[in-house]
């Protein structure tokens, strides 16, 4: 059944950076299925830019492990999707190739950093896509665009071939219009890879089940507190009520470490970014530097010219946090806070099987609305805890506020991705019936 898929999308939302007009496909479970891939995942022979001018012409010589698995199952890789530059952002507005627009309302952001993947799925350009999630970058755009997005357990999907931003936090995951398609894509990409030393051999072979009778759903008060739009909170509580009607029981839980989550996350992710992005120097990666200048001057000028404002900001924050005299004051304390959050979730999961709350504190905001970096960072408050703890988390559409999608977030114990998927599937089937 091998062949070539013709792909010429009406990309009015700027969801793609690169498209493949003739995408070859083979035999397998995904034979002929169009799959879009976020532009920080390596694709042999297809430009991979990370939405940055410094990699504008970079074409990888190899496939990421997940891309190789997609090809083995017959998928057609039809293009690379827009994103925040190097995954740094919550709106897809930091892309060097222009912002992506939200198909639910083109005057709004699609979320980020996997906004292009979410918009491509929501607009019907592709049935499924790959994104990456460092602090909510799959779940945020899934919620804003009204689709389903899964951040797998850390170590369940290979990161080999992912252009690194924050190694200890980020994870490749599936995005689609339905929970069933997310599960189907997850079953393809969650296969052991010896190239990734952080990966465990825990393949995902699961057909979603809507039977959740007796499931204990934890409701953390911190996810419905200050900063969360009351209308969003109310919509999510109504969705949790649907789970109760299906036989689940709700129990109160608490994640007290949430108050330190954002600070810990941004110290850790910027510290790792400052190290990972050092390779983009005009020698190893990026356009060649001007050899008439000193190396330090040429290195500085190249990065100043080709890195965007947000990337430079995070590199500087991370370099400061790791500098002599400050690493113990910031980075070491952030790791302690991370451990505390992980232990909070472990205690909560003694009483609950899954934890439910809003994916995002608000609906999608308007393009250009968030000009203050701090207010942008605060938008991640409900998603970063799952990354710090390394647990699976899914966002499934659960209603609308002012005509804009709202996401229900469900989190589970490490390597219990199947249970999280089942809870999301049960809710989805009930509201679609």
């Amino acid at each position: 059944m091998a062949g070539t898929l013709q792909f010429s999308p009406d990309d009015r939302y700027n969801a793609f950076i690169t498209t493949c007009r003739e995408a070859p496909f083979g035999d397998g479970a995904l034979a002929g299925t169009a799959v879009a891939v976020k532009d920080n995942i390596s694709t042999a022979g297809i430009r991979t830019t990370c939405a940055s001018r410094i990699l504008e012409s970079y074409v990888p010589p190899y496939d990421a492990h997940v891309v190789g698995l997609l090809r083995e199952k017959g998928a057609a890789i039809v293009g690379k999707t827009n994103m925040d530059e190097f995954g740094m952002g919550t709106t897809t507005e930091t892309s060097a190739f222009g912002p992506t627009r939200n198909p639910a309302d083109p005057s709004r952001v699609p979320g980020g950093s996997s906004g292009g993947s979410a918009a491509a799925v929501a607009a019907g350009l592709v049935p499924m896509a790959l994104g990456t999630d460092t602090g909510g970058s799959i779940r945020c755009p899934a919620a804003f665009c009204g689709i389903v997005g899964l951040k797998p357990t850390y170590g369940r999907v290979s990161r080999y071939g992912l252009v690194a931003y924050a190694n200890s936090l980020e994870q490749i995951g599936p995005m689609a219009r339905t929970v069933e398609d997310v599960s189907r894509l997850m079953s393809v990409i969650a296969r052991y890879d010896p190239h990734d030393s952080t990966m465990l051999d825990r393949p995902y072979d699961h057909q979603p089940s809507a039977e959740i009778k007796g499931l204990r759903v934890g409701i953390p008060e911190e996810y419905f507190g200050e900063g969360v739009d009351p209308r969003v909170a109310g919509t999510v509580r109504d969705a949790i009520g649907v789970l109760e009607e299906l036989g689940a029981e709700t129990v109160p839980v608490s994640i007290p470490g949430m108050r330190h989550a954002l600070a810990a996350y941004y110290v850790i992710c910027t510290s790792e970014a400052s190290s990972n992005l050092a390779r983009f120097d005009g020698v190893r990666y990026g356009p060649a530097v001007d050899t008439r200048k000193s190396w330090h001057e040429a290195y500085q000028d190249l990065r100043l010219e080709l890195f965007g404002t947000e990337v430079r900001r995070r590199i500087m924050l991370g370099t400061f946090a790791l500098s002599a005299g400050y690493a113990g004051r910031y980075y070491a304390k952030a790791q302690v806070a991370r451990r505390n959050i992980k232990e909070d979730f472990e205690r909560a999961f003694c009483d609950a099987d899954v934890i439910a709350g809003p994916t995002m504190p608000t609906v999608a905001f308007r393009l250009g609305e968030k000009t203050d970096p701090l207010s942008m960072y605060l938008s991640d408050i409900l998603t970063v805890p799952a990354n710090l703890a390394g647990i699976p988390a899914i966002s499934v559409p659960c209603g609308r506020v002012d005509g804009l999608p709202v996401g229900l977030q469900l989190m589970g114990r490490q390597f219990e991705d199947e249970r999280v998927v089942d809870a999301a599937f049960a809710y989805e089937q009930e509201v679609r019936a």
Side-chain angles (χ1 to χ4, degrees), residues 217-224 237 240 250-254 352 354-357:
V217 180
I219 312 298
E221 58 188 30
E222 295 86 358
Y223 274 71
F224 294 88
R237 287 192 184 277
I240 294 170
T250 57
V251 294
V253 297
S254 182
V354 299
I355 292 173

Side-chain angles (χ1 to χ4, degrees), residues 74-115:
I77 308 301
V78 296
K80 307 301 292 294
T81 55
N82 204 2
M83 56 181 283
D84 283 297
E85 185 178 9
F86 284 101
M88 300 180 189
T90 310
T91 64
T92 314
E93 291 177 294
T94 69
S95 170
F97 299 91
T100 296
R101 294 179 179 273
N102 190 332
D105 180 348
S107 70
R108 307 268 176 167
V109 302
S113 62
S114 306

Side-chain angles (χ1 to χ4, degrees), residues 73-321:
K73 294 298 182 181
I77 308 301
V78 296
K80 307 301 292 294
T81 55
N82 204 2
M83 56 181 283
D84 283 297
E85 185 178 9
F86 284 101
M88 300 180 189
T90 310
T91 64
T92 314
E93 291 177 294
T94 69
S95 170
F97 299 91
T100 296
R101 294 179 179 273
N102 190 332
D105 180 348
S107 70
R108 307 268 176 167
V109 302
S113 62
S114 306
S117 290
V121 171
L125 304 181
V126 292
M128 54 183 67
L130 291 184
T132 64
D133 195 308
T134 308
S137 294
I138 286 174
R139 290 160 290 152
C140 165
F144 279 1
C145 291
I147 67 166
V148 184
L150 171 68
K151 183 204 87 68
T153 298
Y154 183 81
R156 191 141 195 196
V157 176
S158 171
R159 291 182 297 108
Y160 176 73
L162 170 63
V163 180
Y165 160 28
N167 314 56
S168 73
L169 297 165
E170 59 201 3
Q171 188 66 76
I172 297 171
M175 307 175 78
R177 287 194 288 275
T178 67
V179 175
E180 187 172 13
D181 276 351
V182 159
S183 184
R184 192 156 67 104
L185 188 52
M186 179 68 175
S187 69
V188 171
I189 64 175
R191 289 290 181 269
Y192 180 66
D193 178 16
H195 293 105
D196 183 353
S197 61
T198 64
M199 189 183 183
L200 295 179
D201 190 4
R202 300 286 293 270
Y204 179 98
D205 293 297
H206 183 62
Q207 181 64 38
S209 168
E211 178 51 59
I212 60 167
K213 189 174 182 178
L215 183 76
R216 297 173 301 168
V217 180
I219 312 298
E221 58 188 30
E222 295 86 358
Y223 274 71
F224 294 88
E226 185 180 354
V228 179
D229 185 328
R231 297 172 300 168
V232 169
T235 301
V236 171
R237 287 192 184 277
D238 289 343
I240 294 170
V242 172
L243 296 177
E244 289 182 296
E245 292 171 4
L246 293 172
E249 59 178 284
T250 57
V251 294
V253 297
S254 182
I255 313 292
M258 279 269 297
R259 63 185 182 274
H260 302 304
L262 269 183
Y265 169 78
Y266 275 102
V267 168
I268 292 168
C269 77
T270 58
S271 296
E272 294 183 10
S274 71
S275 174
N276 282 321
L277 270 63
R279 71 194 70 178
F280 302 102
D281 55 7
V283 177
R284 290 167 289 185
Y285 293 95
V289 297
D290 186 347
T291 56
R292 294 169 297 180
K293 299 178 181 178
S294 69
W295 184 83
H296 287 287
E297 186 181 7
Y299 178 77
Q300 174 182 293
D301 290 349
L302 177 83
R303 289 160 69 88
L304 183 63
E305 178 185 354
L306 298 182
F307 276 152
T309 302
E310 183 61 28
V311 173
R312 296 199 304 270
R313 179 183 294 116
R314 296 197 190 195
I315 289 173
M316 289 189 291
L317 285 170
T319 302
F320 173 76

